[in-house]
Amino acid sequence: MKKSFTFSSVIAAATVLVQVSCTPTPMDLTKANIIPKPVSVVQAGESFKLTGRTNIYVQGESAELIQIGQFLADKLNPPTGLGLEVKSTDKAPRSGNILLVISEADPELGDEGYELVITPKLITLTAGKPAGLFYGVQTIRQLLPAKIELDSLQEGPWEIASGTIRDYPLYVYRGAMRDVARHFFGVEDIKIFIDQLAYYKMNVLHLHLSDDQGWRVEIKSWPNLTAHGGKTQVGGGEGGFYTQEQYSDIVKYAAERYVTVIPEIDMPGHTNAALASYPELNISGVATELYSGTEVGFSTLATDKEITYKFIDDVVSELAALTPGPYFHIGGDESHVTKIEDYIPFVNRVQDIVLAHGKKVLGWDEIALATLKPDATVQYWARAENALKGVAQGAKVLMSPSKYAYIDMQYDSTSIYGLHWAAYIEVDDAYNWDPATLVPGIGRENIIGIEAPLWAETISNRQEAEYLLFPRLQGYAEIGWTPAGLRNWDEYKVRLASHGERMKAQKISFYPSTKVDW
Ligand code: NGO
């Protein structure tokens, strides 16, 4: 017993030595595998080392900056064991520390950009706004070895190559959608996803909160929506819903990570869960049965009944009050059983309700068939001519073309989850397109950004969701952040491969596509 213990300790010690001696000190910052790729990286040929004396200094007493510093400390301390502390200061700290500074002297950085200057003595992270500091912190994480993502104590050293990174996003909207209606995903799953979005500098989480198969957020004035309409999901499972308190908890958790939550209540189609819960919302006046299949386009609210608009006003009012973000998503897709002469006035009236509750309208591209209100945004998913109708009305476009950006599409015919009605989307297909040149007539100036929707007909838990999300989410993050001229698949796939270790350390169940040399 003792002998074998000694023997295995020798092996373990030797392994550590081999690992340590195999990890050369990083000296070339341009070799760092950062996703999304920064706007500019200049190397300086030396390196900075985290030690037991390293602390994180934030300039001034702002609670928000201290929180960002603490976020970094909480990521670095478990694996390094270095016990970094967050301190406020009004002067440059001593050698060996990290400094976070807000300065408006560099307008090019905008609301989300940052500059990271790394010397052997100091890491100085500067931004015009806190969001930029938060993104600089994500870059610092990615500059350290992959094992920084583990939450147990790891062997150092913890070194970063010296140089300067200047970085800011191409688009203001870099999002993903979670369909929690077809299958319900609980608060913990959504929080993990928010952290994954933030890690890749994405800033919007669109929640598809209602559909034929389920209503997933408590509305106090219409309690049967969740009491009855939340009770099932695709395949007939038990479904579920967020209480308003839980929804607010998600919104707050997201805001602390600079992610804006956009609630979607899909209407007038995709409404069976509501129609099953309240007979008065039906044209027939009779409640439908709950639905757990995957057909689309068979349900509609009664667009000519006053009670329908009272219902929508109550729902928008309650959700808008819980949602600090600027948008309310009204769905509007695939209303195949709503006559077009009913659909148009319906969408017009619902837009007024949204505006009356202080939110801007977002909707799937079909809403451009109606008269769009000022500041409405059209989410292009299916028909370019709809998106163009939106542009002709002065609306902005959110790019989610199903052939490129639907993250619920299968990778290829062997994929175990996902659909393929729009396309098979391999990891390179997901990356190799440019939102600003995809549709003639829709250019950079018309586009607010990109969003990857994860529809959930075929996935029912976190692992299944991650199989579809990763490793494509990184590509969408880079399309949203990095200037198109700096993007190139052959170079990107090398960076993505290095994120395999990071995803493993973060316990992400990614699909190991053969397009990438992991
Ligand atoms: C469509 C449809 C959804 C489906 C999804 C599946 C839109 C906007 N409406 O996208 O209901 O879940 O495809 O890929």
Side-chain angles (χ1 to χ4, degrees):
M1 183 64 193
K2 189 158 190 283
K3 209 171 184 184
S4 76
F5 172 77
T6 311
F7 179 67
S8 59
S9 327
V10 169
I11 299 271
T15 316
V16 167
L17 273 180
V18 168
Q19 278 173 354
V20 169
S21 58
C22 281
T23 315
T25 298
M27 301 293 246
D28 184 350
L29 191 60
T30 64
K31 298 239 161 66
N33 293 308
I34 302 163
I35 298 178
K37 187 183 173 110
V39 170
S40 124
V41 181
V42 177
Q43 61 133 326
E46 297 178 288
S47 73
F48 174 93
K49 185 175 185 171
L50 296 178
T51 70
R53 294 211 309 272
T54 305
N55 286 312
I56 299 168
Y57 286 84
V58 304
Q59 192 192 44
E61 308 276 339
S62 148
E64 190 172 3
L65 300 204
I66 290 171
Q67 198 178 352
I68 295 169
Q70 196 57 51
F71 180 93
L72 179 60
D74 290 345
K75 295 294 171 199
L76 303 187
N77 282 335
T80 65
L82 294 175
L84 281 72
E85 288 173 21
V86 180
K87 306 181 177 211
S88 2
T89 181
D90 49 16
K91 51 181 193 297
R94 282 190 315 141
S95 193
N97 287 300
I98 300 173
L99 173 65
L100 311 189
V101 185
I102 289 285
S103 157
E104 289 183 355
D106 194 347
E108 193 186 30
L109 298 178
D111 289 346
E112 297 184 293
Y114 64 92
E115 184 181 70
L116 187 58
V117 179
I118 303 151
T119 71
K121 292 192 168 153
L122 209 62
I123 292 185
T124 310
L125 174 59
T126 310
K129 297 274 161 59
L133 288 183
F134 183 74
Y135 293 134
V137 158
Q138 301 301 343
T139 296
I140 293 173
R141 293 174 66 190
Q142 292 194 14
L143 289 171
L144 287 160
K147 58 191 171 184
I148 199 70
E149 304 304 338
L150 293 162
D151 41 27
S152 58
L153 189 61
Q154 304 296 310
E155 197 74 31
W158 305 100
E159 296 167 313
I160 297 178
S162 65
T164 299
I165 297 179
R166 283 182 62 79
D167 201 13
Y168 42 86
L170 178 60
Y171 291 106
V172 293
Y173 188 121
R174 305 175 303 279
M177 187 201 81
R178 292 299 298 263
D179 167 11
V180 293
R182 270 52 177 277
H183 283 98
F184 183 64
F185 290 79
V187 174
E188 278 318 303
D189 282 350
I190 298 300
K191 285 185 173 174
I192 290 170
F193 185 57
I194 289 167
D195 278 307
Q196 293 167 342
L197 290 174
Y199 189 68
Y200 292 109
K201 304 187 176 83
M202 298 180 89
N203 64 358
V204 178
L205 171 63
H206 164 185
L207 287 176
H208 183 77
L209 291 167
S210 66
D211 211 302
D212 291 321
Q213 297 85 349
W215 188 285
R216 305 300 181 206
V217 63
E218 176 191 20
I219 302 295
K220 292 195 194 279
S221 52
W222 295 74
N224 215 33
L225 289 170
T226 46
H228 183 65
K231 271 212 178 103
T232 193
Q233 57 183 5
V234 166
E238 67 178 6
F241 66 90
Y242 309 122
T243 62
Q244 292 201 351
E245 206 178 316
Q246 288 173 321
Y247 175 81
S248 296
D249 183 35
I250 291 173
V251 168
K252 176 167 175 281
Y253 189 88
E256 285 165 1
R257 286 150 184 80
Y258 300 90
V259 171
T260 300
V261 172
I262 299 183
E264 177 187 352
I265 297 297
D266 203 348
M267 52 194 154
H270 289 279
T271 41
N272 186 70
L275 298 169
S277 307
Y278 287 98
E280 59 269 42
L281 300 176
N282 290 265
I283 296 173
S284 66
V286 179
T288 58
E289 294 295 313
L290 291 175
Y291 181 68
S292 57
T294 58
E295 292 299 311
V296 294
F298 62 86
S299 54
T300 185
L301 293 170
T303 55
D304 58 355
K305 286 190 180 173
E306 237 4 73
I307 186 72
T308 296
Y309 300 95
K310 165 85 175 113
F311 162 72
I312 295 167
D313 191 70
D314 289 341
V315 169
V316 174
S317 159
E318 289 193 32
L319 280 178
L322 303 174
T323 306
Y327 292 103
F328 191 98
H329 200 304
I330 61 172
D333 57 316
E334 299 177 318
S335 285
H336 301 325
V337 294
T338 320
K339 292 196 196 94
I340 187 73
E341 56 272 31
D342 296 334
Y343 178 85
I344 289 172
F346 174 85
V347 171
N348 288 342
R349 195 160 165 191
V350 171
Q351 290 183 84
D352 285 332
I353 294 173
V354 169
L355 294 182
H357 291 290
K359 298 295 171 194
K360 298 185 197 179
V361 170
L362 186 56
W364 299 107
D365 62 49
E366 290 95 324
I367 68 161
L369 299 170
T371 307
L372 295 175
K373 304 287 165 170
D375 288 334
T377 299
V378 170
Q379 186 166 10
Y380 167 49
W381 69 283
R383 298 181 74 115
E385 64 262 39
N386 287 345
L388 287 164
K389 280 199 175 94
V391 168
Q393 299 188 59
K396 293 276 186 244
V397 180
L398 173 60
M399 296 295 282
S400 301
S402 48
K403 281 189 171 51
Y404 300 90
Y406 263 34
I407 208 163
D408 64 316
M409 289 298 122
Q410 294 179 314
Y411 295 89
D412 62 27
S413 61
T414 68
S415 296
I416 37 183
Y417 304 108
L419 302 172
H420 60 262
W421 66 264
Y424 290 117
I425 306 181
E426 248 298 357
V427 183
D428 52 349
D429 307 317
Y431 182 81
N432 270 328
W433 62 286
D434 177 359
T437 56
L438 192 68
V439 181
I442 302 180
R444 169 77 188 89
E445 66 285 3
N446 309 116
I447 297 172
I448 60 164
I450 97 158
E451 182 181 290
L454 180 63
W455 298 99
E457 286 94 333
T458 67
I459 49 171
S460 61
N461 60 43
R462 180 153 81 85
Q463 286 67 34
E464 294 168 8
E466 287 178 351
Y467 169 93
L468 291 171
L469 288 165
F470 298 97
R472 291 183 289 200
L473 190 79
Q474 287 94 338
Y476 298 127
E478 184 150 310
I479 293 174
W481 182 279
T482 307
L486 295 182
R487 296 200 291 113
N488 165 300
W489 165 256
D490 286 325
E491 183 270 339
Y492 169 70
K493 73 179 181 191
V494 178
R495 276 183 289 124
L496 183 57
S498 87
H499 278 244
E501 283 304 308
R502 284 178 197 276
M503 288 191 281
K504 278 185 204 153
Q506 292 173 337
K507 300 182 188 62
I508 294 177
S509 311
F510 66 100
Y511 167 66
S513 166
T514 54
K515 299 276 175 176
V516 179
D517 189 8
W518 299 105

